[in-house]
């Protein structure tokens, strides 16, 4: 077989070689001239720089010194034969330099093969601790409610418990020990598969590296602009948030805002909860909240910056957040949104709980306990002129017995419990001593729960422990400002919930004394 080159004449081959040599030579010369300011490979002017006679004989692969070399700046993914021109160059941080940017149409990834190392570690944790929900396995714990997947298992099943290992191709989360059990139990998994996929995409969205405009919060607004607390859409619009047109962005925003807005929606005078039909507020609740609203919405005092405008200032509104966990580590800009709802009042948020400073040692090292600070309180009083935050890594009953916060005023004090787990078997013992002390203060106690069953379990436990010593202020029900984003329990992939799904309130019972005129007369 003859070579293909034999069909081309030598004159054509020589012409092609000469053309390619001419085309490539100016590109290399221009690159070298652009990348190096002191060395020129062009000899058109016939002059050479002093001391640089051998510059043109250097290999192209080696880089000469430049004005950027002294600053230690390097440009990655640069062709080897030239340098970028001098000037300021944006340098990426090492943590984000190798992280891929996930686009909105590329957010679904199986947990075990996720681009995020954190999610891959989370998948490994689930495979080591979560158990397969197939009914052929033994029970690994007692069922929490009739809808618990463990209720489908028997105490003596044909198979021993097995950890999850197979990832559902539709949601990307490990949910079964094998593909056979996943296919056999697919009908039960289908009830939550779409929600699990939504959780998967939301988690990857947080780590996609995109800019989050939904986390930019507005400042205070004029008092004449009323806030509409009917639902999330009306609240965000009336508070002049940036328009959120994406459901995923709305879920990310409400995951943080649910904490301050839940408190504000109950205490505000324009609260959606009332004593009207299906308003869920009781008569006793109206009495307690009216006292708080009297202090939260004071009349104009006519004060001013001069001496004639001096007016007495009421004490700040104290909100005690007991059992604080994630809410204590929220960005302070989130809690500032609570103060914008009540522009004439100062707030003092008190986070109390043994986990109130978990994973925050690098941010705020715990101070030593001294006679002037016996409980090691961490005080943040420079957030705004109307917000102060104090954190106590201690149980509330210890502070209550010492009278640290006495006296309590129903006009200026309120307790808030986010997902306390009052009736949960693993945490109920921590509240047995605290609940009676809370009832002694006669101050409103607001409580949220993950699910309807979680709230009912907490209410039954409180009634069982204190009996008739409590007044219900607000009937349990769904919170209008719950988090729209669902969360996944890594120890049980079948357990999904959303923050502050429901809310209810109670208070210590008040007794009114009455006198009978017939008994006092002689």
């Amino acid at each position: 077989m003859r070579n293909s080159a034999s069909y081309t004449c030598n004159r054509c081959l020589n012409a092609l070689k000469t053309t390619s040599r001419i085309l490539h030579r100016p590109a290399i010369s221009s690159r070298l001239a652009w990348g190096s300011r002191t060395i020129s490979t062009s000899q058109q002017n016939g002059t050479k720089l002093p001391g640089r006679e051998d510059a043109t004989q250097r290999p192209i692969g080696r880089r000469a010194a430049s004005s950027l070399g002294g600053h230690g700046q390097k440009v990655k993914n640069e062709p080897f034969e030239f340098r970028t021109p001098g000037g300021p160059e944006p340098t990426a941080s090492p943590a984000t330099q190798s992280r891929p940017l996930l686009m909105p149409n590329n957010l679904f990834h199986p947990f075990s093969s996720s681009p995020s190392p954190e999610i891959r570690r989370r998948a490994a944790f689930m495979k080591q601790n979560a158990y397969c929900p197939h009914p052929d396995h033994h029970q690994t714990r007692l069922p929490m409610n009739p809808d618990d997947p463990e209720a489908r298992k028997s105490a003596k099943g044909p198979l021993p418990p097995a950890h999850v290992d197979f990832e559902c191709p539709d949601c990307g989360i490990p949910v079964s020990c094998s593909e056979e059990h996943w296919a056999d139990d697919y009908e039960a998994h289908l009830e939550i598969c779409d929600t699990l996929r939504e959780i998967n995409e939301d988690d990857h969205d947080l780590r996609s590296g995109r800019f989050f405009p939904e986390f930019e919060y507005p400042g205070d607004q004029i008092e004449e602009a009323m806030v509409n607390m009917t639902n999330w859409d009306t609240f965000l619009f009336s508070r002049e948030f940036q328009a959120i047109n994406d459901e995923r962005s709305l879920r990310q925003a409400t995951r943080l805002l649910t904490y301050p807005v839940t408190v504000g929606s109950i205490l505000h005078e324009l609260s959606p909860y009332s004593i009207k039909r299906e308003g869920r507020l009781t008569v006793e609740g109206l009495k307690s909240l009216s006292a708080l609203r009297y202090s939260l919405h004071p009349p104009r005092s006519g004060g001013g910056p001069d001496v004639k405008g001096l007016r007495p200032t009421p004490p700040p509104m104290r909100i005690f957040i007991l059992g604080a966990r994630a809410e204590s580590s929220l960005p302070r800009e989130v809690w500032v949104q609570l103060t914008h709802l009540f522009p004439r009042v100062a707030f003092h948020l008190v986070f109390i709980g043994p986990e109130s400073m978990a994973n925050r040692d690098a941010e705020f090292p715990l101070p030593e306990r001294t006679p002037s600070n016996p409980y090691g309180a961490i005080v943040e009083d420079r957030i705004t002129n109307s917000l102060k935050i104090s954190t106590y890594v201690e149980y509330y009953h210890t502070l209550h017995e010492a009278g640290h916060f006495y006296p309590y005023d129903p006009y200026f004090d309120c307790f808030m419990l986010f997902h306390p787990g009052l009736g949960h078997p693993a945490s109920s013992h921590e509240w047995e001593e605290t609940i009676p002390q809370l009832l002694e203060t006669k101050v409103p106690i607001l409580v949220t729960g993950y699910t309807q069953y979680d709230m009912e379990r907490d209410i039954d436990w409180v009634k069982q422990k204190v009996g008739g010593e409590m007044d219900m202020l607000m009937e349990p029900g769904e919170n209008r400002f719950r988090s729209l984003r669902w969360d996944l329990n890594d120890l049980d992939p079948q357990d999904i919930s959303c923050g502050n799904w429901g809310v209810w309130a109670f208070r210590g019972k008040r007794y009114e004394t009455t006198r009978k005129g017939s008994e006092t007369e002689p």
Side-chain angles (χ1 to χ4, degrees), residues 38 47-55:
T38 58
T47 59
K48 295 183 180 181
L49 295 175
R52 302 295 179 91
E53 291 81 1
D54 57 342

Side-chain angles (χ1 to χ4, degrees), residues 315-333:
M317 179 67 61
R318 296 191 303 178
I319 299 180
F320 301 94
I321 302 176
L322 307 187
R325 297 186 297 273
E327 55 270 19
S328 64
S329 60
L330 287 178
R332 297 319 184 206
E333 294 81 1

Side-chain angles (χ1 to χ4, degrees), residues 195-204 486-488 496:
T195 306
L196 291 178
R197 183 184 179 94
E198 183 180 290
I199 295 174
N200 185 329
E201 294 179 354
D202 289 346
D203 287 340
H204 282 94
W486 292 92
D487 297 320
L488 176 67
I496 56 177

Side-chain angles (χ1 to χ4, degrees), residues 247-299:
E247 292 185 0
R248 179 172 292 110
S249 299
L250 183 61
R251 291 196 297 266
Q252 306 289 17
T254 58
R255 184 64 182 90
L256 301 182
L257 290 174
T258 179
Y259 291 98
V261 179
T262 296
V263 179
S265 64
I266 299 175
L267 303 181
H268 203 275
E269 63 180 357
L270 301 178
S271 171
Y273 310 107
S274 63
I275 60 173
K276 298 180 180 180
R277 186 178 180 181
E278 298 181 357
R280 296 172 47 190
L281 200 64
T282 64
V283 176
E284 293 297 327
L286 181 61
K287 294 178 182 179
S288 295
L289 294 183
S290 296
L292 291 174
R293 291 168 182 172
Y294 179 82
S295 302
L296 290 171
H297 301 279

Side-chain angles (χ1 to χ4, degrees), residues 108-113 126-127 164-179 182-183 185-186 189-190 192-194 196-197 200 493-494:
F108 175 74
H109 297 274
F111 268 27
S112 60
S113 59
M126 295 171 64
K127 293 181 179 181
V164 297
D165 186 66
F166 177 77
E167 293 180 340
C168 172
D170 297 327
C171 63
I173 294 177
V175 293
S176 298
C177 63
S178 62
E179 185 177 0
W182 169 79
D185 201 31
Y186 182 71
H189 171 69
L190 198 60
I192 61 173
C193 186
D194 292 340
L196 291 178
R197 183 184 179 94
N200 185 329
Q494 312 299 320

